[in-house]
Amino acid sequence: MLNDHRERPTADGPGAEWVQAPPDAEIRRVYEPVEIRNRDGSWALGRINARWHGGRGEDWCRLRIVGSDRPARWVPFDPDVFVELQIDGT
Protein backbone atom coordinates (compact mmCIF):
# COMPACT_ATOMS: atom_id res chain seq x y z
CA MET A 1 0.00 0.00 0.00
CA LEU A 2 2.17 2.86 -1.23
CA ASN A 3 1.30 6.50 -0.67
CA ASP A 4 -2.16 5.73 0.70
CA HIS A 5 -2.17 8.87 2.78
CA ARG A 6 -3.04 12.46 2.18
CA GLU A 7 -1.74 15.74 3.50
CA ARG A 8 -4.21 17.31 5.89
CA PRO A 9 -3.65 20.19 8.28
CA THR A 10 -4.32 19.20 11.88
CA ALA A 11 -4.37 21.21 15.07
CA ASP A 12 -2.94 18.34 17.08
CA GLY A 13 -0.10 16.72 15.27
CA PRO A 14 1.45 16.07 11.88
CA GLY A 15 -0.12 17.19 8.64
CA ALA A 16 -0.52 13.79 6.98
CA GLU A 17 -2.69 10.89 7.97
CA TRP A 18 -3.80 7.59 6.50
CA VAL A 19 -6.97 7.32 4.51
CA GLN A 20 -6.84 3.53 5.00
CA ALA A 21 -4.91 1.49 7.57
CA PRO A 22 -1.93 -0.65 6.51
CA PRO A 23 -2.35 -4.44 6.26
CA ASP A 24 -3.02 -5.99 9.69
CA ALA A 25 -0.25 -8.59 9.27
CA GLU A 26 2.35 -5.80 8.92
CA ILE A 27 1.29 -3.84 12.01
CA ARG A 28 3.37 -4.06 15.20
CA ARG A 29 1.24 -3.54 18.34
CA VAL A 30 2.88 -1.27 20.94
CA TYR A 31 2.02 0.89 23.93
CA GLU A 32 3.93 4.16 23.80
CA PRO A 33 2.73 7.22 25.72
CA VAL A 34 3.86 10.40 23.98
CA GLU A 35 3.79 14.13 24.37
CA ILE A 36 2.67 15.79 21.15
CA ARG A 37 4.11 19.18 20.36
CA ASN A 38 1.61 21.24 18.38
CA ARG A 39 2.54 23.84 15.80
CA ASP A 40 1.35 26.66 18.09
CA GLY A 41 3.80 25.60 20.84
CA SER A 42 1.20 23.92 23.02
CA TRP A 43 1.32 20.21 23.80
CA ALA A 44 -1.03 17.30 24.40
CA LEU A 45 -0.70 13.79 25.73
CA GLY A 46 -1.27 10.86 23.42
CA ARG A 47 -0.76 7.14 23.02
CA ILE A 48 0.74 5.26 20.12
CA ASN A 49 -0.79 1.78 20.05
CA ALA A 50 0.63 0.46 16.76
CA ARG A 51 3.55 1.08 14.40
CA TRP A 52 4.06 0.28 10.73
CA HIS A 53 7.13 0.63 8.52
CA GLY A 54 6.37 1.07 4.85
CA GLY A 55 8.28 -0.48 2.00
CA ARG A 56 10.35 2.67 1.53
CA GLY A 57 11.26 2.90 5.22
CA GLU A 58 8.63 5.39 6.28
CA ASP A 59 7.64 5.09 9.97
CA TRP A 60 3.90 5.42 10.72
CA CYS A 61 2.12 5.20 14.06
CA ARG A 62 -1.51 4.86 15.13
CA LEU A 63 -2.07 7.78 17.49
CA ARG A 64 -4.83 8.56 19.94
CA ILE A 65 -4.97 11.94 21.71
CA VAL A 66 -5.77 11.48 25.43
CA GLY A 67 -9.08 13.14 26.30
CA SER A 68 -10.05 13.70 22.67
CA ASP A 69 -13.20 12.36 21.09
CA ARG A 70 -11.32 11.82 17.82
CA PRO A 71 -10.67 8.19 16.93
CA ALA A 72 -7.12 6.85 16.69
CA ARG A 73 -5.51 7.64 13.34
CA TRP A 74 -2.40 6.71 11.38
CA VAL A 75 0.16 9.52 11.13
CA PRO A 76 3.85 9.63 10.20
CA PHE A 77 6.10 9.36 13.26
CA ASP A 78 8.10 12.55 13.60
CA PRO A 79 10.59 12.77 16.51
CA ASP A 80 10.31 16.57 16.35
CA VAL A 81 6.57 16.30 17.07
CA PHE A 82 6.36 13.23 19.34
CA VAL A 83 8.33 12.95 22.58
CA GLU A 84 8.21 9.35 23.81
CA LEU A 85 7.49 9.23 27.56
CA GLN A 86 9.02 6.70 29.95
CA ILE A 87 6.48 4.18 31.24
CA ASP A 88 8.54 2.33 33.87
CA GLY A 89 11.71 2.67 35.90
CA THR A 90 13.28 5.89 37.09
Side-chain angles (χ1 to χ4, degrees), residues 1-8 14-23 26-30 32 48-63 73-79 82 84:
M1 178 178 305
L2 297 175
N3 295 325
D4 194 11
H5 65 279
R6 63 175 64 139
E7 292 294 320
R8 187 175 82 76
E17 70 178 24
W18 277 95
V19 176
Q20 180 178 338
E26 298 177 15
I27 295 172
R28 181 173 50 96
R29 310 284 181 208
V30 298
E32 299 173 4
I48 294 172
N49 63 11
R51 303 281 292 251
W52 177 77
H53 290 277
R56 296 180 306 201
E58 60 271 30
D59 185 7
W60 288 81
C61 59
R62 187 169 56 208
L63 173 70
R73 65 196 193 284
W74 285 97
V75 296
F77 183 83
D78 182 345
F82 301 111
E84 295 174 282

Side-chain angles (χ1 to χ4, degrees), residues 1 8 12-13 21 24 41 45 55 70 76:
M1 178 178 305
R8 187 175 82 76
D12 55 357
D24 221 29
L45 292 176
R70 291 184 69 181

